[in-house]
Amino acid sequence: MAAAKPAKGAADEHMTYPAPKTVEQVDDYHGTKVKDPYRWLESLDSPDTRSWVEAENKLTFGYLEKIPQREKLQARLTELWNYERYSPPFHEGGRYFYSKNDGLQNQNVLWRQLEGKPAEVFLDPNTLSSDGTTALDQLSFSRDGKLLAYITRQGNAFKLMTQDLETGTVRGLSDTVDDESPSFAPNGRLLVYATRQQGRDVLMTTTLDGKIKARLVSTTADVREPTWGPYGR
């Protein structure tokens, strides 16, 4: 297949990239000082970061839109991607769950099925935002199979949610955009999850109503991916 050629003059066009600002940020790692002048870009929702991303996108798409073969390539790729896809099923709480995509859905849909009954849509992340860009990630079921915890991800914003498998009631537990890796305590009354505080990855616990939260460990090291031991500790 011949490679697509850029529009006439596009390859030679001078591209002026947005100039990001720098800040006086220095971290001390055991006596070694490391500069991080672009730390401000970690604040994903700040006006400065959004402005810089918009400028980058304007430059990028301004170039791509000049490539005449772009529409044909998009049409062919859309044709190739348009087929049903399934994940392997898994069993939780007396039900089978699997993900399915009809072909061109932005996000895979979570289906569930009781033995002897037809499958049904359990959670469709395509309905969580108007543009279908909110993804469903990091599923965790309580041991009694009554509750599901999961992360909704839109861009780089991560939110912790729970859903009652019987009633369908959904509850949001996040008060930041950095929550990840939920895991139910063996007794099902608490959730442990990872988040960020003061630039560090830490573990937190929360009650199922989100009213009582506490930092689980006190350490200067980054901590992620909580896992319960064989005795529930």
Side-chain angles (χ1 to χ4, degrees):
M1 179 183 291
K5 296 181 180 179
K8 183 178 179 180
D12 299 325
E13 181 181 338
H14 178 69
M15 301 178 72
T16 302
Y17 291 88
K21 71 176 183 179
T22 58
V23 296
E24 294 296 327
Q25 174 67 42
V26 180
D27 295 323
D28 190 326
Y29 295 101
H30 308 287
T32 299
K33 297 187 182 301
V34 179
K35 293 183 178 180
D36 190 359
Y38 303 108
R39 175 71 60 82
W40 61 274
L41 283 169
E42 295 182 11
S43 300
L44 303 176
D45 293 319
S46 71
D48 284 344
T49 301
R50 286 184 176 275
S51 177
W52 184 80
V53 171
E54 288 172 2
E56 285 277 324
N57 286 337
K58 183 178 180 180
L59 177 70
T60 300
F61 288 104
Y63 178 86
L64 294 177
E65 288 166 359
K66 295 177 182 177
I67 300 175
Q69 297 87 350
R70 191 172 183 234
E71 289 187 5
K72 290 183 179 180
L73 288 172
Q74 184 179 26
R76 178 55 176 156
L77 288 173
T78 299
E79 180 183 3
L80 293 173
W81 285 330
N82 191 12
Y83 65 94
E84 284 188 330
R85 299 182 291 279
Y86 295 83
S87 73
F90 57 94
H91 191 264
E92 292 285 351
R95 305 168 180 84
Y96 287 97
F97 292 85
Y98 61 91
S99 293
K100 176 186 175 184
N101 192 302
D102 289 339
L104 296 179
Q105 291 173 292
N106 287 326
Q107 309 296 336
N108 294 335
V109 179
L110 183 63
W111 288 67
R112 70 174 176 181
Q113 183 173 13
L114 287 169
E115 189 170 347
K117 294 187 177 182
E120 61 181 0
V121 172
F122 176 64
L123 187 55
D124 184 357
N126 295 288
T127 65
L128 300 179
S129 58
S130 59
D131 58 1
T133 58
T134 300
L136 181 66
D137 203 3
Q138 303 173 21
L139 307 184
S140 176
F141 291 83
S142 60
R143 290 195 179 183
D144 60 10
K146 294 181 178 180
L147 289 172
L148 166 66
Y150 58 91
I151 299 296
T152 60
R153 175 169 48 84
Q154 187 171 33
N156 287 305
F158 298 78
K159 295 293 187 74
L160 172 60
M161 314 289 290
T162 62
Q163 184 161 342
D164 190 302
L165 271 66
E166 292 294 340
T167 67
T169 301
V170 176
R171 186 188 297 272
L173 300 180
S174 287
D175 47 24
T176 74
V177 294
D178 297 311
D179 296 342
E180 294 186 81
S181 307
S183 180
F184 280 97
N187 61 16
R189 295 196 296 267
L190 292 173
L191 269 169
V192 61
Y193 63 98
T195 191
R196 288 185 66 81
Q197 288 185 351
Q198 299 177 337
R200 295 289 186 184
D201 294 331
V202 299
L203 296 184
M204 299 285 292
T205 60
T206 179
T207 52
L208 300 184
D209 59 8
K211 292 182 179 179
I212 302 176
K213 297 182 179 181
R215 184 166 170 171
L216 189 61
V217 294
S218 179
T219 175
T220 57
D222 290 341
V223 184
R224 306 290 289 177
E225 303 294 338
T227 301
W228 292 96
Y231 302 104
R233 297 180 179 176

